[in-house]
Amino acid sequence: MAPKLPIYMDNQATTAVDPRVLEAMLPYFSEKFGNAASRNHEFGWKAEEAVENARGQIARLIRANPREIVFTSGATESDNLAIKGVAEAYREKGNHIVTQATEHKAVLDACKRLEKYGCEVTSLPVAPDGLIDLDDLRRAITPKTILISIMQANNEIGVIQPVAEIGKIAREKKILFHVDAVQAVGKIPVDVQKDGIDLLSISAHKIYGPKGVGALFVRRKDPRVEISAIIDGGGHERGMRSGTLNVPGIVGLGKACEICQKEMPGESERLRRLRDKLKDAIMGRLDGTAVNGSMAHRLPNNLNLSFSGVEGDALLMGINDVAVSSGSACTSAMIEPSYVLRALGVSDDLSHSSIRFGLGRFNTEEEVDYVADRVVETVKRLRDLSPLYEAAKPRASR
Ligand SMILES: *Cc1c(COP(=O)(O)O)cnc(C)c1O
């Protein structure tokens, strides 16, 4: 049976709100509209209770204490708060931050801003499989290093960094460790205790919650992490993040975490099987395709493929009833190849003809079959039109 079109397969960009999440949120827009900071009436108490419940749901998913959860407007803010907050609070101790080349822009640009104010930033390279080298990390650390910021899983290529090993190095050297875990939370186990993580960023809209709400885990014990606020005001969230709490959004984030915790084992297995089916159905029928990034250290729901001998735009146009992302990004005026793929050493041409498939909770097997067929027929058609591809093909496969 033909699936309903268009098909959404861009779940690393955002996810649909789960109906169960929406249902949990709805009362907090209307009858339970109170301000969680209102201490002297029922409306405020109800809102506060809902916020504290959400704190518990989030903490359980990452093995934190509820008091270590600070609510934010999303992971861009969480990343900024972690990095700028540590840089300011620990400026007496040092001014050096270690990060890596394929971080999200929220991390890279926060670091770049700090460089303007005298911080030194080391951005570690990655190998062609997308992984950092732990010896590079050890060598980058100086007596001035105050923070290591390395993501758990990449948003373009799904590659999972060795956070437990990084956490161990950070502990040994007594350096704080921040992890952007936006893509990992709810997809693979995230454990701030086992992995020695001191700060961790979460976003609701990547885990079937609403947009515009996120959280930052800030460790309170062994060590007690200090961060300076970047938004000042009423002193909410123990002074770390002022501003009236987004109660419906927070309730949604909490519910999204609760569902992930319950359903993650089964859901990850299902998505891994669908992802592998998609990969086999495409790569088994087309030559000149390659996976970008490690397959072994990868989120179960991500596939990033390059197709040689086709124009990226033409490829996306050819499958325009399927929502995916390309290996190009529109900057101010030009189409630039993805900096993530470039960091892996993928050529600009191949980056432009790369596609990220992000599978999610609501994708079906029929959709995967349809997408594979569309990709295969489109690539074949475009290559037939391209004399360059014929000429470049190895003789045996002509
Ligand atoms: C989406 C994303 C962010 C930004 O999160 P927002 O809540 O959209 O601000 C940060 N890091 C990673 C890895 C992401 O995928």
Side-chain angles (χ1 to χ4, degrees), residues 338-367:
S338 141
Y339 70 91
V340 171
L341 297 182
R342 203 176 248 176
L344 307 189
V346 177
S347 72
D348 289 0
D349 277 352
L350 267 186
S351 290
H352 285 307
S353 66
S354 292
I355 291 184
R356 173 183 72 184
F357 302 90
L359 285 96
R361 184 172 290 166
F362 305 112
N363 284 125
T364 63
E365 183 136 12
E366 290 69 38
E367 289 178 332

Side-chain angles (χ1 to χ4, degrees), residues 12-13 73-77 79 104 106 151 153-155 180 182-183 202-206 212-213:
Q12 259 92 43
S73 64
T76 298
E77 186 187 336
D79 287 344
H104 192 272
M151 69 199 330
N154 184 270
N155 44 299
D180 178 335
V182 172
Q183 296 290 344
I202 296 178
S203 177
H205 77 99
K206 307 285 175 77
V213 59

Side-chain angles (χ1 to χ4, degrees), residues 41-167:
H41 52 67
E42 179 82 17
F43 295 90
W45 300 332
K46 278 263 156 43
E48 192 193 9
E49 192 183 303
V51 166
E52 294 316 313
N53 181 50
R55 237 186 263 285
Q57 290 167 316
I58 298 159
R60 270 193 292 284
L61 183 59
I62 62 171
R63 257 188 90 206
N65 184 301
R67 298 200 305 166
E68 297 174 313
I69 303 299
V70 175
F71 290 112
T72 65
S73 64
T76 298
E77 186 187 336
S78 300
D79 287 344
N80 271 268
L81 177 57
I83 294 166
K84 294 174 181 172
V86 165
E88 186 177 331
Y90 291 82
R91 67 188 183 285
E92 310 275 271
K93 186 166 178 264
N95 66 344
H96 180 231
I97 297 172
V98 181
T99 184
Q100 57 94 23
T102 64
E103 287 297 308
H104 192 272
K105 285 288 184 188
V107 166
L108 294 178
D109 289 354
C111 288
K112 206 183 276 175
R113 172 79 59 188
L114 288 172
E115 284 185 302
K116 291 192 182 158
Y117 298 105
C119 280
E120 282 170 35
V121 178
T122 302
S123 178
L124 303 175
V126 294
D129 64 2
L131 288 159
I132 63 160
D133 179 337
L134 294 173
D135 287 327
D136 284 348
L137 172 63
R138 285 191 194 92
R139 275 191 295 270
I141 293 168
T142 77
K144 290 273 178 211
T145 308
I146 49 172
L147 180 69
I148 297 170
S149 180
I150 308 269
M151 69 199 330
Q152 188 160 0
N154 184 270
N155 44 299
E156 287 190 37
I157 51 178
V159 168
I160 299 168
Q161 300 289 353
V163 284
E165 282 82 356
I166 300 167

